[in-house]
Amino acid sequence: MSTRVLIIAEIGSVHDGSFGNAKRLIELAKDVGADAVKFQTHIADAETTKDAPSSPYFKDESRYEYFRRTGFMLEQWKKLKEHADGTGIEFLSSPFSEEAVDLLEKVGVARYKVPSGEVTNLPLLEKIAATGKPVILSSGMSSWEELDRAVETIRRGGNDLTVLQCTSEYPCPPEQVGLNLLAEMRERYQCPVGLSDHTMTLAAPIAAVTLGASVIEKHLTFSRHMYGSDAKHSLEPAEFRQMCEVIRAAEAMLHHPVDKSDASRFKNMKQTFEKSVAALVPIKKGTTVTRAMLGIKKPGTGIPAARISDVIGTRATRDIPADTVMIPSDLQKFS
């Protein structure tokens, strides 16, 4: 398994039905450091009734009209996948119906991301599992019992599985992120885990990476002032780029252990910042050294300060000026 965290830029419906915006968002996701760009494949007539209630955070349009207006046709999805391939970023899209799975199979996705609202849609999970492709399963609004059933359904297809901790609140307060669940999910399902994050800061994804998350998903938008259901809960480009940079730095820290038993690489620094035994007063050759003659001063190029007791009682082999760092050859039988 790769040790590199998979960073997914969640586009959702930020494109607002604009094919041009969707293409530019693919380019933006690559530019800010994401490994994959993820859309949502909505086929309005296949997934929702016309009178289905709107989400609590976006009521400007009915869900049916919003999905119908912002959805793309098969050929457009194919062109977006081709554009992502050409841009050098993985194309993902979450299906919200069995018909959407059929569409995405024609598009040629390499793996599937199951959104939180579809965890209990077992027919959809069976359809996805039947493709044999890897699955990333989000968990935003599900109980353990529901997740257990979803994992069991997907695993019947033998699919590689990653489970994401997610909290379906927009925005998600820090107290509800649920970082404690990463270890529990890893143990419970014996698979890689990650975080689909809806907070408005970088703290949660960075903390998740340090706790072993192998996937981080975060919403990306041109601007939080854009119209639609997702934009105001997304990161803007500079913020997303910073998140990617910090995740990569955290990876370097986690995957390069430091050996504290060997300080040899700090030899020059130790000579500059540590201290040595030093003569506070002139010490004539042949004089027996006493504690009153000695101090502790920089640089650390002489007898280490920790060995001052070994210096006491020895005899000087030469005249040692005051304010001089002492070295072993200054003293008889010092080793």
Side-chain angles (χ1 to χ4, degrees):
M1 184 180 66
S2 172
T3 57
R4 181 180 170 90
V5 173
L6 176 70
I7 302 176
I8 301 174
E10 162 72 82
I11 303 304
S13 299
V14 164
H15 52 77
D16 198 40
S18 164
F19 183 72
N21 278 346
K23 289 183 68 176
R24 182 66 189 99
L25 284 160
I26 289 172
E27 298 163 8
L28 178 63
K30 173 66 175 179
D31 181 61
V32 297
D35 301 297
V37 58
K38 191 187 80 67
F39 292 88
Q40 296 175 0
T41 300
H42 293 286
I43 302 174
D45 288 319
E47 72 175 77
T48 184
T49 61
K50 292 181 175 61
D51 59 355
S54 299
S55 64
Y57 52 87
F58 181 69
K59 296 181 178 295
D60 291 20
E61 294 180 67
S62 74
R63 291 187 74 72
Y64 175 83
E65 286 299 327
Y66 185 60
F67 294 153
R68 186 188 62 79
R69 182 179 65 77
T70 59
F72 294 128
M73 304 299 292
L74 172 60
E75 289 307 311
Q76 291 176 303
W77 283 119
K78 286 182 177 180
K79 288 179 180 178
L80 290 176
K81 167 68 162 56
E82 291 172 2
H83 188 61
D85 291 344
T87 303
I89 191 168
E90 181 180 355
F91 175 89
L92 294 170
S93 189
S94 293
F96 286 77
S97 64
E98 293 178 63
E99 290 84 346
V101 176
D102 291 333
L103 184 152
L104 290 173
E105 281 297 287
K106 294 173 183 175
V107 171
V109 294
R111 57 180 143 188
Y112 282 91
K113 163 69 194 307
V114 178
S116 294
E118 302 299 327
V119 171
T120 59
N121 187 350
L122 298 187
L124 176 63
L125 300 188
E126 290 169 354
K127 181 97 172 179
I128 291 172
T131 68
K133 294 176 179 177
V135 176
I136 299 172
L137 177 69
S138 204
S139 63
M141 55 187 78
S142 298
S143 66
W144 282 121
E145 180 182 359
E146 292 167 336
L147 274 176
D148 289 347
R149 192 177 302 119
V151 168
E152 179 184 357
T153 300
I154 292 168
R155 281 192 162 149
R156 282 201 294 266
N159 311 67
D160 289 338
L161 177 66
T162 300
V163 179
L164 304 188
Q165 163 53 13
C166 177
T167 301
S168 295
E169 292 188 41
Y170 303 87
C172 177
E175 298 81 5
Q176 296 299 321
V177 172
L179 291 177
N180 61 296
L181 295 170
L182 294 174
E184 190 166 354
M185 287 176 174
R186 187 186 297 110
E187 176 66 23
R188 191 180 188 99
Y189 300 127
Q190 294 294 300
C191 71
V193 298
L195 179 70
S196 180
D197 180 41
H198 298 145
T199 66
M200 297 307 295
T201 73
L202 308 186
I206 305 310
V209 169
T210 65
L211 292 173
S214 62
V215 176
I216 295 295
E217 181 181 62
K218 193 85 167 173
H219 284 258
L220 173 66
T221 183
F222 294 128
S223 166
R224 280 192 284 273
H225 294 290
M226 291 182 69
Y227 176 84
S229 62
D230 294 327
K232 66 181 179 180
H233 303 122
S234 301
L235 293 187
E236 294 183 345
E239 297 166 328
F240 202 101
R241 178 180 284 107
Q242 183 182 15
M243 181 191 75
C244 292
E245 290 171 350
V246 177
I247 286 174
R248 298 306 176 211
E251 283 180 319
M253 298 173 200
L254 291 167
H255 299 146
H256 293 84
V258 172
D259 182 2
K260 204 66 174 172
S261 65
D262 180 10
S264 60
R265 66 186 293 255
F266 297 111
K267 180 180 178 180
N268 292 337
M269 293 291 285
K270 289 169 78 68
Q271 290 179 345
T272 300
F273 289 99
E274 292 187 354
K275 293 185 173 70
S276 304
V277 177
L280 296 181
V281 297
I283 303 174
K284 292 290 186 180
K285 179 179 179 179
T287 301
T288 298
V289 178
T290 66
R291 178 65 179 87
M293 299 174 180
L294 304 175
I296 305 296
K297 293 189 176 186
K298 292 178 181 178
T301 55
I303 296 171
R307 297 198 62 189
I308 191 169
S309 61
D310 297 330
V311 174
I312 298 169
T314 62
R315 290 181 182 275
T317 61
R318 69 178 182 95
D319 290 343
I320 305 171
D323 200 35
T324 301
V325 164
M326 300 171 73
I327 59 177
S329 61
D330 290 339
L331 306 166
Q332 285 181 348
K333 299 179 181 179
F334 185 91
S335 61

